[in-house]
Amino acid sequence: MASVSYHISSLLEKMTSTDKDFRFMATNDLMMELQKDSIKLDEDSEKKVVKMLLKLLEDKNGEVQNLAVKCLGPLVGKVKEYQVETIVDTLCTNMLSDKEQLRDISSIGLKTVISELPPAATGSTMTANVCKKITAQLTGAIGKQEDVSVQLEALDILSDMLSRLGGTLYSFHSSILTCLLPQLTSPRLAVRKRAIIALGHLVLTCSGNIFSELTEHLLAALKKNESTSTTRTYIQCVAGISRQAGHRIGEHLEKIIPLIVQYCNVDDDELREYCFQAFESFVRRCPKEMDPHISSVMGLCLKYITFDPNYNYDNEEEEEEMMETENGEDEEQESNDEYSDDDDISWKVRRAAAKCLEAVVSSRPDLLQDFYRTLSPALISRFKEREENVKADIFNAYISLLKQTLPTQSWLHSSDASGKDDIPLTMLQNQVPNIIKALHKQLKGKSIKSRQGCFSLLTELASVLPGCLADHIPALIPGIVFSLADKSSSSNMRIDTLSFLHVLLCNHQAEVFHPHVKALLPSVVTCIGDPFYKITSEALLVTQQLVKVIRPLDKPYSFDAKPFVKDLFSATLKRLKAADIDQEVKERAISCMGQIIYNLGDHLSTDLQPTLKIFLERLKNEITRLTTVKALTLIANSPLQIDLRPILGEGLPILASFLRKNQRALKLSTLNALDILVKNYSDSLKPAMIEAVLTELPVLITENDMHVSQVTITFLTTLAKIYPSCISKISGSVLAEIFQLVHSPLLQGGALNAIIDFFQALVLTKTAAVGYAELVKQLTAPIYCSASAGASLTLHKQAYHSVAKCVAALCSACPKEAPATVNQFVQDVKSPKSSPAVQVLAFLFLAEVGRTTNLSAQRELRTVLLEAFASPSEEVKSAASYALGNVSAGSLHEYLPFLLKEIGGQPKRQYLLLHSLKEVISCSPADSLTPYVEDIWALLFKHCECTEEGTRNVVAECLGKLTLVNPAELLPRLRKQLSAGSPHARSTVVTAIKFTITDQPQPIDALLKGCIGDFLQTLQDPDLNVRRVSLALFNSAAHNKPSLIRDLLTSVLPSLYNETRVRRELIREVEMGPFKHTVDDGLDVRKAAFECMYTLLESCLDRLDIYDYLNHVEDGLKDHYDIRMLTFIVLARLSVLCPSAVLQRLERLIEPLRATCSTKVKAGSVKQEFEKQDELKRSAMRAVAALLTIPEVEKSPAMAEFSSQIRSSPEMASLFESIQKDSASLPTLESMDMS
């Protein structure tokens, strides 16, 4: 401690030296000291350092002053509060001094101090006290209005403080407001501007009363309209407030908008510009409140986007001539002497109108059709705008329109093309000729900026409507060539042109380009040789696409590619050979050359082999190996049968070594490449080469990476078919791994199918050391071995299915062996000694075989199956029921009548028999079921009122799947049943409809769309259970086929929201001994309703009134545990999808979150209660974390207060940190792009 104060006092001494260099170095050393975390100052040193630094602020030397100011920052955190107050006082006094230099340096000092103050949330009182001191001084300085520069500095510092620490100055807000409002009429525009900025920061944290006072003041001033100049300022102020705190101004818009609309018609260009800026900000920040005004705002925008009083666009020919003379300046001068172009600011009005239109388009996707009717033609007609900045914004507005038209690419719409997307696209298609007409001349214009604008618009157009430019290629090519070859073009211009050309080539048929290849090619080839790597790499992408165009291999063509091969090849080769170029260019040169050899390899003659040798070199290089593997895969797959023999000998061992590398993408690409090489070049590969590859494979088969295992096994299957002798050598080690995989609980889908194919190929090789019997034995061994060990199932349930599928596949590959295996399994089931595990396997196997082959020859099978229904083991029962269904599907006429009879006659086994019937209906093709439909239908309706819910669900599933057999006839019958029957029958019918909805297109969809509304009427059913299943139907439709319900939402939503309410009449008290326990019968229905609400966010967000929706989310946040868990997830999703709406409601949403996070569990509660509460808090905290990601959320006072509460409570802080860690390690939610 002593040494520090000694060192510092020696520095202070040097600071008083007369030599400025001494002072400078001493201050610099002090700065270094202060920046060390470890430094502690005693009271005396603190005083001296503060005093000295403040003195140095008035030093004669500027550099010393600057350093002294920099020292203030680190000093703030190191000294006691009263010292900081001293610093601030002195700085504030200096700000009012007459010396300009001192004023400037003091204001920098104050800004430094403010930025270093600890945020209020840390709970230190220092910040609050210091800020109050500064504020009092500043408001005084601003109010005095003596020297403008003092005012400007003071306003600047005040803005800084309000933006960082607005909440701390709560008590000063009204005095700040009183001080700022008069500044809006200051004679100096700069003062007004800074006052507006300060007000913008104030409205973020001020209370509702102060906000109302401010808006009342602005409204009154706008109504008065004393002078145009002040009106301009007030409108700018309204726009500024809306940009900063748009959600608060919403309720005042009703009064504000008419005034601004009225000012749009005043003949003052600047005023109009500010009006449109205000509109733009309202549209972006208060979409709901703007809804009634959108049409009038759009009308104004469309009127003023053409507002150019001093220029005559009418005569196109004249315009052309004017362009030819130097920018037409001369004629302009003659005709309009009294008016100079520099005074014309009408372009600002046009630009503001264009920006406002862009805001309207991007915030209202629901009005697309209107936009295409009115807005699109208006914008197209303005592409001729003469002012570049305005033109850029008009292009941007049109690009926004195109982006809105792009059908949302998500998993939903791929299978469920809802009809709404087609109309705007057709309207756009009809306007394409006008767009091209307006743009194609500009593509050869002088202005680079407008050419770039044209290309970005055309790129977007080609992506939204692939193929729409096919008829206009001749008009576009000259412009493309011009921009690529033009010497004055900037490199960005070329890159934009090339990327447009790439999109164009990808989205159109090859034939359209054939007439133009000759014109295009030379300029593209020149770009490949360009010294700037970004141009080269874009040009290589274009070349790759061009190669596919000039010689498409997938269809007949008449175009002769020969004359162009040499140019393309030599330009690409030059880039492929170069070692000292950018990584991206290297990779693209490899891919491009791969494409050239794939499409044009037969034209390359002697050049081919040397090029392949280069590929071999690139394989050996770690940086380029992955790209080269992909290129070789492409070449090996070429229909031109390129001769790869010279490089296979050296190449194959290299590829084999890649399978050892710890790079997943490389392994997968290499396996793919090897598979294709083995298929297409089997005659050139020697067994020794293959064996080198084979030794690498067993390690790759593991349950840790199913996809790599699947690709490896697919490759093994290829090998088994082509090189059976090689496989037999390593079959032992490979099979051991594969059996391990078959018995794994994780195996399913693609990997399982790959294993099945491999076993079938292996059995058919005949040379393998392992034959049919051995494979079956190995597959079933673990199950038979465990039989002696105990009664329960030893392996995971999934493993039994996998083994059964594999054995069944082996049977179908070796039909001679099959009957014996079937008999063996039937005997296993009959034998009383068999363990449940063996029986389960046997039944699953019989199910797999029975589905495809007719097992009616097995006479005793029926009795065996039915006897198993009485087994004590649940697993055996359900396996037998599954087997009966599948065996029946394989021989319908033998089994189905028998099955139906049993269902009628065996009430005890009904549930299992119905499950069998469900399997029959699911597995059988529609036409084979048709003769039995009536009988099944009648039988099912007998059971649809069963009291057991499990049975009713199976009946419903059978009904639903049966309806798919003949929807036209059966759907109306289900509909009739709605009005009849008991609540049980209705709930069964509604659930049946749920099973007719799948995520794939079906013939029933069109019929369903017509009548699903009737089924959803049951949302208003008096019976609670019916309403619950109706919500499940709605949820399933919203998730799998949103198009079914999109148009019904207006009528369905009120019923849905109605179900989210807590019903007092459904809550009852149950006495359990001495305790009373409340039971809420409505809970399940509410849960189902909130689940539907979550699903709607994903599929129908554009049809929801989000504010209405939020009201119900708000109620859910205060509901039962399960409901709160759901609404927290909904809230987190909403903060991503519609942040601005959530911001507007933040105050009301935070309260329940805070309540949840700060509840304490009663001390004597059970462990489950603690766990439940903990999970609830975690979920709430996740919602808080999601809210904190909303831009500008930190400006909300409620949120700031809550986050400071979280930080100050150790329990909440640690919970919050752990949530943040979890979310950092997880990949972010694919937030669906709903914009």
Side-chain angles (χ1 to χ4, degrees), residues 562-591:
K562 223 178 202 130
F564 307 110
V565 176
K566 188 168 167 296
D567 289 349
L568 283 175
F569 176 77
S570 49
T572 310
L573 183 66
K574 190 174 161 202
R575 287 302 183 191
L576 181 68
K577 278 181 178 166
D580 53 347
I581 46 171
D582 188 80
Q583 165 79 9
E584 189 181 18
V585 178
K586 275 185 191 166
E587 290 181 358
R588 287 192 175 166
I590 295 170
S591 312

Short mmCIF file of all heavy atoms in Angstrom, two decimals, residues 562-591:
data_model
loop_
_atom_site.label_atom_id
_atom_site.label_comp_id
_atom_site.label_asym_id
_atom_site.label_seq_id
_atom_site.Cartn_x
_atom_site.Cartn_y
_atom_site.Cartn_z
N LYS A 562 -18.94 -27.38 -78.69
CA LYS A 562 -17.51 -27.54 -78.97
C LYS A 562 -16.72 -26.24 -79.04
O LYS A 562 -15.67 -26.12 -78.40
CB LYS A 562 -17.35 -28.30 -80.30
CG LYS A 562 -16.26 -29.35 -80.19
CD LYS A 562 -16.11 -30.15 -81.47
CE LYS A 562 -15.46 -31.47 -81.18
NZ LYS A 562 -16.15 -32.61 -81.71
N PRO A 563 -17.24 -25.22 -79.77
CA PRO A 563 -16.40 -24.01 -79.92
C PRO A 563 -16.06 -23.34 -78.58
O PRO A 563 -15.09 -22.60 -78.49
CB PRO A 563 -17.27 -23.07 -80.76
CG PRO A 563 -18.51 -23.78 -81.09
CD PRO A 563 -18.50 -25.14 -80.52
N PHE A 564 -16.85 -23.60 -77.54
CA PHE A 564 -16.64 -22.85 -76.29
C PHE A 564 -15.78 -23.61 -75.28
O PHE A 564 -15.35 -23.05 -74.28
CB PHE A 564 -17.99 -22.53 -75.65
CG PHE A 564 -18.94 -21.86 -76.60
CD1 PHE A 564 -20.06 -22.52 -77.09
CD2 PHE A 564 -18.68 -20.56 -77.05
CE1 PHE A 564 -20.90 -21.90 -77.99
CE2 PHE A 564 -19.53 -19.94 -77.95
CZ PHE A 564 -20.64 -20.61 -78.43
N VAL A 565 -15.57 -24.91 -75.54
CA VAL A 565 -14.90 -25.73 -74.52
C VAL A 565 -13.50 -25.19 -74.22
O VAL A 565 -13.11 -25.04 -73.06
CB VAL A 565 -14.81 -27.20 -74.99
CG1 VAL A 565 -14.03 -28.01 -73.98
CG2 VAL A 565 -16.20 -27.77 -75.17
N LYS A 566 -12.77 -24.83 -75.26
CA LYS A 566 -11.36 -24.47 -75.07
C LYS A 566 -11.23 -23.26 -74.14
O LYS A 566 -10.46 -23.27 -73.18
CB LYS A 566 -10.72 -24.18 -76.43
CG LYS A 566 -9.22 -23.99 -76.37
CD LYS A 566 -8.63 -24.01 -77.78
CE LYS A 566 -7.19 -23.51 -77.78
NZ LYS A 566 -7.05 -22.11 -77.37
N ASP A 567 -12.04 -22.23 -74.43
CA ASP A 567 -11.95 -21.02 -73.59
C ASP A 567 -12.28 -21.32 -72.13
O ASP A 567 -11.55 -20.93 -71.21
CB ASP A 567 -12.96 -19.96 -74.07
CG ASP A 567 -12.51 -19.38 -75.40
OD1 ASP A 567 -11.35 -19.65 -75.78
OD2 ASP A 567 -13.31 -18.67 -76.05
N LEU A 568 -13.39 -22.02 -71.93
CA LEU A 568 -13.82 -22.32 -70.56
C LEU A 568 -12.75 -23.13 -69.83
O LEU A 568 -12.39 -22.83 -68.70
CB LEU A 568 -15.11 -23.14 -70.58
CG LEU A 568 -16.40 -22.38 -70.87
CD1 LEU A 568 -17.57 -23.35 -70.98
CD2 LEU A 568 -16.69 -21.39 -69.75
N PHE A 569 -12.27 -24.15 -70.54
CA PHE A 569 -11.32 -25.06 -69.91
C PHE A 569 -10.03 -24.34 -69.54
O PHE A 569 -9.56 -24.41 -68.41
CB PHE A 569 -11.05 -26.25 -70.84
CG PHE A 569 -10.00 -27.18 -70.31
CD1 PHE A 569 -10.33 -28.08 -69.29
CD2 PHE A 569 -8.70 -27.16 -70.79
CE1 PHE A 569 -9.36 -28.93 -68.78
CE2 PHE A 569 -7.74 -28.01 -70.28
CZ PHE A 569 -8.07 -28.90 -69.27
N SER A 570 -9.48 -23.59 -70.50
CA SER A 570 -8.15 -23.02 -70.22
C SER A 570 -8.24 -21.95 -69.12
O SER A 570 -7.34 -21.87 -68.27
CB SER A 570 -7.51 -22.45 -71.49
OG SER A 570 -8.45 -21.64 -72.14
N ALA A 571 -9.35 -21.17 -69.11
CA ALA A 571 -9.46 -20.15 -68.05
C ALA A 571 -9.57 -20.82 -66.68
O ALA A 571 -8.93 -20.38 -65.70
CB ALA A 571 -10.69 -19.29 -68.30
N THR A 572 -10.38 -21.90 -66.60
CA THR A 572 -10.55 -22.57 -65.29
C THR A 572 -9.24 -23.28 -64.89
O THR A 572 -8.85 -23.25 -63.72
CB THR A 572 -11.70 -23.60 -65.37
OG1 THR A 572 -12.84 -22.95 -65.93
CG2 THR A 572 -12.06 -24.13 -64.00
N LEU A 573 -8.59 -23.89 -65.88
CA LEU A 573 -7.36 -24.64 -65.59
C LEU A 573 -6.31 -23.73 -64.97
O LEU A 573 -5.61 -24.09 -64.03
CB LEU A 573 -6.81 -25.28 -66.87
CG LEU A 573 -5.57 -26.14 -66.66
CD1 LEU A 573 -5.92 -27.37 -65.82
CD2 LEU A 573 -4.97 -26.60 -67.99
N LYS A 574 -6.25 -22.51 -65.50
CA LYS A 574 -5.25 -21.58 -65.00
C LYS A 574 -5.48 -21.34 -63.49
O LYS A 574 -4.53 -21.30 -62.70
CB LYS A 574 -5.38 -20.26 -65.77
CG LYS A 574 -4.26 -19.30 -65.52
CD LYS A 574 -4.37 -18.09 -66.43
CE LYS A 574 -3.55 -16.95 -65.88
NZ LYS A 574 -3.97 -15.65 -66.35
N ARG A 575 -6.76 -21.20 -63.13
CA ARG A 575 -7.08 -20.99 -61.70
C ARG A 575 -6.88 -22.26 -60.90
O ARG A 575 -6.55 -22.20 -59.71
CB ARG A 575 -8.54 -20.53 -61.55
CG ARG A 575 -8.77 -19.11 -62.01
CD ARG A 575 -7.87 -18.18 -61.23
NE ARG A 575 -8.10 -16.78 -61.56
CZ ARG A 575 -7.30 -15.80 -61.17
NH1 ARG A 575 -6.22 -16.08 -60.48
NH2 ARG A 575 -7.55 -14.56 -61.49
N LEU A 576 -7.09 -23.43 -61.53
CA LEU A 576 -6.96 -24.69 -60.80
C LEU A 576 -5.49 -24.96 -60.48
O LEU A 576 -5.15 -25.48 -59.42
CB LEU A 576 -7.53 -25.82 -61.66
CG LEU A 576 -7.51 -27.23 -61.05
CD1 LEU A 576 -8.48 -27.30 -59.88
CD2 LEU A 576 -7.89 -28.28 -62.07
N LYS A 577 -4.61 -24.56 -61.40
CA LYS A 577 -3.18 -24.85 -61.21
C LYS A 577 -2.57 -23.95 -60.15
O LYS A 577 -1.66 -24.35 -59.43
CB LYS A 577 -2.42 -24.62 -62.53
CG LYS A 577 -2.52 -25.80 -63.49
CD LYS A 577 -1.71 -25.47 -64.74
CE LYS A 577 -1.71 -26.64 -65.72
NZ LYS A 577 -1.24 -26.20 -67.04
N ALA A 578 -3.08 -22.69 -60.08
CA ALA A 578 -2.43 -21.71 -59.20
C ALA A 578 -2.48 -22.17 -57.75
O ALA A 578 -3.52 -22.59 -57.26
CB ALA A 578 -3.11 -20.36 -59.34
N ALA A 579 -1.35 -22.09 -57.08
CA ALA A 579 -1.33 -22.52 -55.68
C ALA A 579 -1.46 -21.32 -54.74
O ALA A 579 -1.85 -21.46 -53.59
CB ALA A 579 -0.03 -23.26 -55.39
N ASP A 580 -1.15 -20.13 -55.27
CA ASP A 580 -1.07 -18.97 -54.38
C ASP A 580 -2.33 -18.10 -54.48
O ASP A 580 -2.24 -16.89 -54.63
CB ASP A 580 0.16 -18.13 -54.74
CG ASP A 580 0.14 -17.79 -56.23
OD1 ASP A 580 -0.66 -18.40 -56.96
OD2 ASP A 580 0.92 -16.91 -56.65
N ILE A 581 -3.50 -18.75 -54.47
CA ILE A 581 -4.71 -17.93 -54.56
C ILE A 581 -5.59 -18.17 -53.35
O ILE A 581 -5.34 -19.05 -52.54
CB ILE A 581 -5.53 -18.22 -55.85
CG1 ILE A 581 -5.65 -19.72 -56.05
CG2 ILE A 581 -4.97 -17.52 -57.04
CD1 ILE A 581 -6.60 -20.10 -57.13
N ASP A 582 -6.66 -17.38 -53.27
CA ASP A 582 -7.57 -17.43 -52.15
C ASP A 582 -8.22 -18.81 -52.03
O ASP A 582 -8.55 -19.45 -53.02
CB ASP A 582 -8.65 -16.37 -52.40
CG ASP A 582 -9.54 -16.20 -51.21
OD1 ASP A 582 -9.12 -15.52 -50.27
OD2 ASP A 582 -10.64 -16.78 -51.21
N GLN A 583 -8.44 -19.22 -50.76
CA GLN A 583 -9.04 -20.53 -50.49
C GLN A 583 -10.36 -20.74 -51.26
O GLN A 583 -10.59 -21.77 -51.86
CB GLN A 583 -9.29 -20.60 -48.97
CG GLN A 583 -10.21 -21.71 -48.51
CD GLN A 583 -9.51 -23.05 -48.45
OE1 GLN A 583 -8.30 -23.12 -48.59
NE2 GLN A 583 -10.25 -24.10 -48.27
N GLU A 584 -11.22 -19.69 -51.23
CA GLU A 584 -12.54 -19.83 -51.88
C GLU A 584 -12.37 -20.05 -53.38
O GLU A 584 -13.08 -20.85 -53.99
CB GLU A 584 -13.33 -18.54 -51.62
CG GLU A 584 -14.76 -18.63 -52.05
CD GLU A 584 -15.54 -17.33 -51.80
OE1 GLU A 584 -14.91 -16.26 -51.61
OE2 GLU A 584 -16.76 -17.40 -51.82
N VAL A 585 -11.40 -19.34 -53.98
CA VAL A 585 -11.18 -19.50 -55.43
C VAL A 585 -10.67 -20.92 -55.71
O VAL A 585 -11.11 -21.58 -56.66
CB VAL A 585 -10.16 -18.46 -55.95
CG1 VAL A 585 -9.90 -18.66 -57.43
CG2 VAL A 585 -10.68 -17.06 -55.70
N LYS A 586 -9.78 -21.42 -54.85
CA LYS A 586 -9.28 -22.79 -55.04
C LYS A 586 -10.44 -23.77 -55.08
O LYS A 586 -10.57 -24.59 -55.98
CB LYS A 586 -8.37 -23.20 -53.86
CG LYS A 586 -6.93 -22.77 -54.01
CD LYS A 586 -6.10 -23.33 -52.85
CE LYS A 586 -4.73 -22.67 -52.86
NZ LYS A 586 -3.97 -22.87 -51.65
N GLU A 587 -11.32 -23.65 -54.05
CA GLU A 587 -12.42 -24.61 -53.95
C GLU A 587 -13.35 -24.51 -55.15
O GLU A 587 -13.77 -25.51 -55.71
CB GLU A 587 -13.21 -24.37 -52.65
CG GLU A 587 -12.40 -24.76 -51.43
CD GLU A 587 -13.16 -24.55 -50.13
OE1 GLU A 587 -14.32 -24.07 -50.19
OE2 GLU A 587 -12.61 -24.87 -49.06
N ARG A 588 -13.64 -23.26 -55.54
CA ARG A 588 -14.59 -23.12 -56.66
C ARG A 588 -13.98 -23.55 -57.98
O ARG A 588 -14.67 -24.04 -58.86
CB ARG A 588 -15.11 -21.68 -56.72
CG ARG A 588 -16.08 -21.44 -55.58
CD ARG A 588 -16.85 -20.16 -55.71
NE ARG A 588 -17.84 -20.07 -54.64
CZ ARG A 588 -18.48 -18.96 -54.34
NH1 ARG A 588 -18.24 -17.85 -55.01
NH2 ARG A 588 -19.38 -18.94 -53.38
N ALA A 589 -12.65 -23.38 -58.11
CA ALA A 589 -11.99 -23.83 -59.35
C ALA A 589 -12.08 -25.35 -59.43
O ALA A 589 -12.32 -25.92 -60.51
CB ALA A 589 -10.53 -23.38 -59.36
N ILE A 590 -11.91 -26.02 -58.28
CA ILE A 590 -12.01 -27.49 -58.29
C ILE A 590 -13.42 -27.92 -58.67
O ILE A 590 -13.62 -28.77 -59.55
CB ILE A 590 -11.62 -28.05 -56.88
CG1 ILE A 590 -10.15 -27.76 -56.59
CG2 ILE A 590 -11.90 -29.54 -56.80
CD1 ILE A 590 -9.73 -28.04 -55.16
N SER A 591 -14.43 -27.29 -58.03
CA SER A 591 -15.81 -27.69 -58.34
C SER A 591 -16.15 -27.40 -59.79
O SER A 591 -16.83 -28.18 -60.46
CB SER A 591 -16.81 -26.93 -57.47
OG SER A 591 -16.42 -26.97 -56.14
#
